[in-house]
Each structure stands twice: as structure tokens, then as C-alpha cells.
Amino acid sequence: MSTTSGTKIDKSSLPDASGHFGQFGGIYVPETLVTALEDLSKEYEAAKRDPEFQAELAGYLKEFAGRPTGLYHAERLSEELGGAKIYFKREDLLHTGAHKINNAIGQALLAKRMGKKRVIAETGAGQHGVATATVCARFGLQCVVYMGAVDMERQKLNVFRMRLCGAEVRSVESGQKTLKDAVNEAMRDWVTNVRDTHYILGSALGAHPYPMMVRDFHKIIGEETRLQMMEKEGRLPDELVACVGGGSNAIGLFYDFLEDEDIRMVGVEAGGYGIEQGKHAARFEGGRLGVLQGSKTYILQNPDGQIELTHSVSAGLDYAAIGPEHAYYRDVGRIEFAYATDDDVMEAFKLLCRTEGIIPALESSHALAYVTKRAPQMSKEQIIVVSLSGRGDKDVNQVAQLLGADV
Ligand SMILES: *Cc1c(COP(=O)(O)O)cnc(C)c1O
């Protein structure tokens, strides 16, 4: 297809052999990790072509994770907003409560295939940590999860869930004591223990091959959506919407549709308290090109290249860099981006509980906040699909506190 800037989309050539999406992506890591990443690339390419690996992956996605997830017509929400017909892709119904299990299963099978007995991961809100601890329990792998001390305090329940599954959760006391610092510690561990350890990275971020590999493990979201939409409506949707932290649930939904040029795609970032330095995590609102944790992409940084503070009501979107593939498609005009503020997110969260009986994750509520504004501008004949990336059980305590409720 041709984009607004006239670039032809040929998704099959991305990333290129050096892991670049245009100028974005790449492999910006210490020398000690280069061999590990090359080995991982080779193993992943072999696994991708191996029907046995693919069959095993499909089996666990179905029987353990609960795929396919439903494509659900949100009838009451559509009526309330009075515009486009709204569908939800129900990733919230997966085992452990979010899309993250798709990638965790894929990478755990890869670790097994490589003969690695130890797995490490980083986590912010704890959803990726829980997914990783879960698959490690299932496949008998030793599991260490790095988590910022601040996040451990905010997400105690997820820390306990990880420990129940046998994972060791290591508190990270450096920097802001949140996700970025947890990634730093995980990379340090990997450098030291690379022989027997696989690093299960949790989003479409980091050095090649991670952005590509994580995308591939999630692209089933869009592939199922296409089939289900044809079954239900006999045609493809007009618009796709997903929240974007690193960008894995979004690229998972979008990827299969990138070459369908009539379908609009919108990623929704965290607007936090509003677009003011240090108060949000919307990388396309003031972010600049730079390198962070293995990849060249849009980053919230000051003129000296120091990473800026970020804020979002949802820990899962609270990160200073965006996945390189999103940076590319945004630059060529294929994926558009918007942001939602904490206040709008809370309204959307409450609206969904009330109209549909679904408690969404605060991350997913960013996509919903956009939809509450966008759907009324569209006609009743138009169809919009929202990635409901996770369920809100993990957020109920935080929401109660914000609403001043006594629980
Ligand atoms: C982690 C998380 C996200 C953000 O991660 P992406 O890689 O951008 O998808 C979004 N929604 C939920 C429910 C999450 O747990």
C-alpha cells in the first residue's frame, strides 16, 4: 500500500538482516551479548520453520492459554456512544489475564529448544513477570524476575503470584526503581549468565531479534480477528485501536492488516497528567530519536540524552521508549498515534464496567478512552475493533484508592 508519505508498505522485508525497521531498531548492546543475540536469531529462525515447534506452540496457546479469544460485539457501549459498531478482541480472557502469555509461551518453548534451564525477565506492573513465572512453572525452568522496588510495593499481589509459581523476584533499588531499571538489571544478569540463561523480554522492544520475535508471537491476535470478522460481518473492520506501552499487543493486532490500506490503525499512548515534561509517557509527544536498552527509537529524553521521568496511571504503559517497528510505521504514516490522560482513562474504565460488565486493565482503558471520543464521529455502518489487552483485576485496589472507595 501507499502511505501518506508515499512509502510502499512491504512488511515481509522488515526488519532487515541487521534488525532495522528503516532507521529504527538494530542491536545496540555490549559485545558480550552480541553472540547470544545471534544464536537466538538463528534458533528462532529454525523454530519458525519447524512444523513440530509450531504445532507445540499452537497446542499450548489453545489448551493452556485459552486461544482463540473471542471477538465480542460491545453492543451496549456502541449504543451508548452512538456511532461506530464496536468489537473487542478479548485478550483479557487469556490465562494470567493479558496478552503477555502468548509471548511467554513462545519464548519458554524457545528456551527449552536451546537447552537453557534458567530464565530471567523484567517486569513493571508484574503482568509479564506473572506470565513468565507461569510458563517457567509449566516447563520446569528456573525463573528470576527483576522488578523495581517501587513497582513491587505498588503491585504486591503480582509479586506474590510470581512467588507462588516458584519464581524468585529480585528487588531493583537503582534509578527510579521502576521498569527501566529492572530492564538494566536483567541485561546485567544476562551478560553474566548467558551460557545457561534465556532472557524472556516482555514487549516488542530491545535489541534484534526481540521486537520481531515478540511481534511474531502476538500476531495471532490480528490473524484471529481477520477470520472472526469475516465470519461475523463478512467484511474487514474500518479501524483498529490498541494501547501502546512497548507496543506488543498493538503490533499483534495490527500486523496482519498492515497491507490492507483502507483500514485505519491507531496506537494510544499514556498521556498521564497531560503533555508536560516528566508527567506522561507519550513518546510521540515530545520524544526524540535515541538509543535505549538495545534499540534506536523515539525516547523521552532531555537535550543531554538523559532519560526523562515518566508517569502513567497504568504501570504497563509507563516507559520512556516505544518499540522500533511502531516508530517506523508512524514515520511512514501507516500507524497513527493518539494519547489518553489518566482522567480520561478512569472515565473509560468506569464506563466499560457499567455498560458491558467487563472490568478492563488500566492499560487497555487507554484504547477505550480514545474510542469513546472516536466512535461518535463514525457512522453506524462503520466497525472499530479494540484490543482489550488485559483484565482489570490487578488494578481494582488502585482504582478504589483513586475513587476514594473503602475496600
Ligand atoms: C503490559 C501490558 C500492556 C503494554 O504492553 P504492550 O507491549 O504495549 O502491549 C498493555 N496492556 C496490558 C493489559 C498489559 O499487561
Side-chain angles (χ1 to χ4, degrees):
M1 67 161 285
S2 279
T3 62
T4 46
S5 58
T7 310
K8 196 115 174 90
I9 298 288
D10 173 15
K11 68 179 183 185
S12 62
S13 66
L14 292 171
D16 64 19
S18 63
H20 284 87
F21 304 86
Q23 64 172 322
F24 305 103
I27 307 178
Y28 295 87
V29 295
E31 218 165 318
T32 35
L33 285 184
V34 172
T35 315
L37 288 164
E38 282 171 0
D39 290 349
L40 182 58
S41 283
K42 274 189 217 129
E43 197 67 39
Y44 175 63
E45 288 303 328
K48 204 160 82 174
R49 285 190 302 268
D50 178 355
E52 215 168 293
F53 180 88
Q54 291 302 332
E56 201 182 1
L57 176 60
Y60 285 110
L61 287 176
K62 178 164 183 271
E63 307 292 349
F64 188 67
R67 301 212 73 89
T69 60
L71 183 68
Y72 176 73
H73 177 205
E75 211 172 336
R76 296 234 311 136
L77 181 69
S78 304
E79 240 166 64
E80 171 102 8
L81 295 173
K85 193 167 182 181
I86 301 164
Y87 278 90
F88 295 149
K89 184 58 176 158
R90 297 292 309 270
E91 297 296 292
D92 62 314
L93 295 179
L94 287 173
H95 183 40
T96 69
H99 67 290
K100 296 221 165 63
I101 194 83
N102 301 325
N103 170 52
I105 291 175
Q107 287 202 48
L109 289 175
L110 208 54
K112 240 179 39 157
R113 188 185 163 97
M114 290 185 290
K116 304 222 167 166
K117 303 248 180 301
R118 180 175 179 269
V119 158
I120 56 170
E122 83 295 337
T123 197
Q127 285 304 106
H128 176 57
V130 169
T132 302
T134 299
V135 297
C136 285
R138 174 59 188 82
F139 297 114
L141 300 162
Q142 187 196 341
C143 181
V144 174
V145 179
Y146 289 92
M147 190 169 186
V150 169
D151 290 334
M152 280 181 74
E153 187 54 39
R154 284 196 287 209
Q155 298 285 345
K156 279 188 190 154
L157 188 63
N158 273 342
V159 174
F160 187 57
R161 289 166 82 192
M162 288 181 249
R163 288 180 172 150
L164 282 174
C165 290
E168 180 193 340
V169 184
R170 290 192 187 162
S171 173
V172 176
E173 306 286 344
S174 56
Q176 247 185 294
K177 305 179 190 182
T178 58
L179 179 60
K180 170 171 65 64
D181 315 294
V183 175
N184 282 338
E185 281 311 312
M187 286 179 76
R188 224 165 269 150
D189 180 313
W190 205 30
V191 167
T192 315
N193 301 298
V194 67
R195 271 174 185 284
D196 71 338
T197 299
H198 174 61
Y199 178 14
I200 301 191
L201 208 146
S203 187
L205 283 167
H208 180 69
Y210 282 104
M212 171 185 78
M213 193 167 75
V214 176
R215 171 198 78 196
D216 289 350
F217 286 135
H218 283 301
K219 70 184 166 65
I220 191 167
I221 301 172
E223 290 165 355
E224 286 177 8
T225 299
R226 177 184 292 273
L227 292 175
Q228 292 166 322
M229 195 46 80
M230 289 310 290
E231 244 168 56
K232 286 174 197 292
E233 295 280 350
R235 72 172 183 92
L236 296 180
D238 298 284
E239 189 163 327
L240 306 173
V241 181
C243 67
V244 182
S248 69
N249 88 94
I251 200 69
L253 175 63
F254 297 167
Y255 190 71
D256 198 56
F257 297 99
L258 280 168
E259 287 161 357
D260 296 289
E261 56 186 301
D262 294 333
I263 300 179
R264 188 168 180 232
M265 298 177 183
V266 181
V268 185
E269 297 186 281
Y273 297 127
I275 303 306
E276 229 180 291
Q277 190 183 331
K279 307 216 155 151
H280 67 95
R283 289 65 46 103
F284 291 129
E285 304 292 327
R288 288 178 301 109
L289 192 61
V291 170
L292 183 65
Q293 297 177 332
S295 186
K296 188 192 274 186
T297 184
Y298 280 89
I299 295 164
L300 290 166
Q301 56 187 332
N302 75 12
D304 297 330
Q306 295 300 311
I307 304 308
E308 275 172 5
L309 297 180
T310 52
H311 164 78
S312 169
V313 68
S314 66
L317 303 185
D318 197 350
Y319 186 64
I322 190 162
E325 191 161 14
H326 286 286
Y328 173 77
Y329 284 119
R330 192 254 191 182
D331 262 21
V332 300
R334 180 61 187 101
I335 302 178
E336 295 169 62
F337 285 83
Y339 65 85
T341 63
D342 290 357
D343 289 345
D344 290 345
V345 166
M346 288 300 296
E347 287 309 310
F349 175 94
K350 288 190 281 182
L351 180 66
L352 196 67
C353 297
R354 189 159 51 72
T355 55
E356 296 287 350
I358 296 172
I359 301 177
L362 285 172
E363 289 83 6
S364 321
S365 301
H366 284 70
L368 294 163
Y370 167 83
V371 167
T372 60
K373 298 195 168 129
R374 175 64 182 147
Q377 303 169 344
M378 296 168 71
S379 78
K380 286 191 168 29
E381 286 69 50
Q382 288 183 295
I383 298 170
I384 189 163
V385 174
V386 189
S387 168
L388 210 62
S389 53
R391 68 181 89 129
D393 303 32
K394 70 183 174 59
D395 299 318
V396 166
N397 275 327
Q398 189 190 346
V399 170
Q401 229 168 30
L402 288 169
L403 298 178
D406 189 16
V407 286

